[in-house]
Amino acid sequence: QFIYKEYLAYRLYNLVSSASFRAKLVKITLVDTNNPDKPTEKIGFIVEDEEQVAERMACTLMEERPKDTRQFARQHFLNFVFYEYMIGNTDWAVGNSHNTRFFEHTTTKKVIPVPYDFDYSGLVNAPYAVPHESLPIKDVRERYFKGGTVAAPEGAMLRKYFLQSKTAVLDFIKNFDMLDKY
């Protein structure tokens, strides 16, 4: 179920941002060379290669993190931080590129952050997931906004943008039949 929930986090971000890693569920067969007659099947997912993301977004992958957040394409940054807040994920950082890759748009030269690795999010709620000790929350299901200051007009624009995606997101979740019904 945790694999499916993390996969769901990737797919939901695909719905709200094209600046995202695509993911695909796969069946994995593990064969123990000492016991090849008893393979084990697992479910997992694979994530789109960074070079494919860069090509799809008309960007280049940045090897070093951006020095200043003013380099960011603001709308992409806001989508990123709000989505992380929405799913209860604080396991990312711009400063050390933790669970975030950066792409520079070839024309605008603006930086686009793309998140990955959502297993510590409240949406997934994995049993090992805990917030970093520097944060003022005790559980990954508590929300904590790490996006800095958002001006009121930006907040209004962001709210409108995510509300426009609400039906598609809720429909996707409703039709996502891989999760156990509680």
Side-chain angles (χ1 to χ4, degrees):
Q1 291 296 290
F2 298 117
I3 295 290
Y4 292 139
K5 288 179 183 179
E6 186 172 6
Y7 171 71
L8 177 63
Y10 279 94
R11 294 299 308 273
L12 293 177
Y13 195 55
N14 296 151
L15 291 175
V16 298
S17 179
S18 60
S20 56
F21 284 99
R22 294 176 180 165
K24 182 158 180 70
L25 279 175
V26 293
K27 187 186 297 185
I28 304 164
T29 304
L30 304 171
V31 179
D32 182 348
T33 55
N34 294 325
N35 195 1
D37 295 333
K38 292 191 176 184
T40 303
E41 289 193 351
K42 299 282 186 182
I43 295 294
F45 60 86
I46 55 175
V47 178
E48 184 177 25
D49 188 72
E50 295 164 337
E51 286 74 21
Q52 291 172 308
V53 176
E55 183 178 334
R56 183 169 45 81
M57 294 184 352
C59 293
T60 56
L61 176 64
M62 297 177 67
E63 294 303 321
E64 293 187 22
R65 66 175 174 78
K67 304 285 188 257
D68 189 336
T69 56
R70 289 177 291 190
Q71 294 174 266
F72 288 133
R74 186 68 176 165
Q75 187 61 49
H76 285 290
F77 177 73
L78 292 172
N79 290 349
F80 161 71
V81 297
F82 185 76
Y83 182 76
E84 294 282 32
Y85 176 78
M86 186 175 78
I87 66 167
N89 193 23
T90 58
D91 188 31
W92 61 272
V94 169
N96 65 0
S97 304
H98 183 66
N99 291 337
T100 309
R101 297 299 285 164
F102 301 100
F103 298 85
E104 183 181 61
H105 194 273
T106 52
T107 306
T108 66
K109 301 299 180 195
K110 290 291 188 179
V111 175
I112 300 172
V114 179
Y116 64 94
D117 195 7
F118 302 111
D119 64 325
Y120 269 63
S121 71
L123 175 70
V124 175
N125 197 26
Y128 54 81
V130 294
H132 192 272
E133 66 268 2
S134 67
L135 298 176
I137 58 175
K138 302 289 182 233
D139 186 281
V140 294
R141 297 188 86 186
E142 288 182 65
R143 299 297 187 270
Y144 182 75
F145 187 70
K146 293 177 54 176
T149 303
V150 177
E154 290 177 322
M157 180 180 61
L158 194 58
R159 179 181 182 278
K160 181 180 176 184
Y161 178 77
F162 273 81
L163 283 175
Q164 289 171 341
S165 303
K166 180 179 179 179
T167 301
V169 167
L170 292 177
D171 285 347
F172 190 88
I173 293 168
K174 183 174 136 187
N175 295 314
F176 190 76
D177 60 359
M178 295 164 209
L179 294 177
D180 291 341
K181 303 296 182 210
Y182 294 98

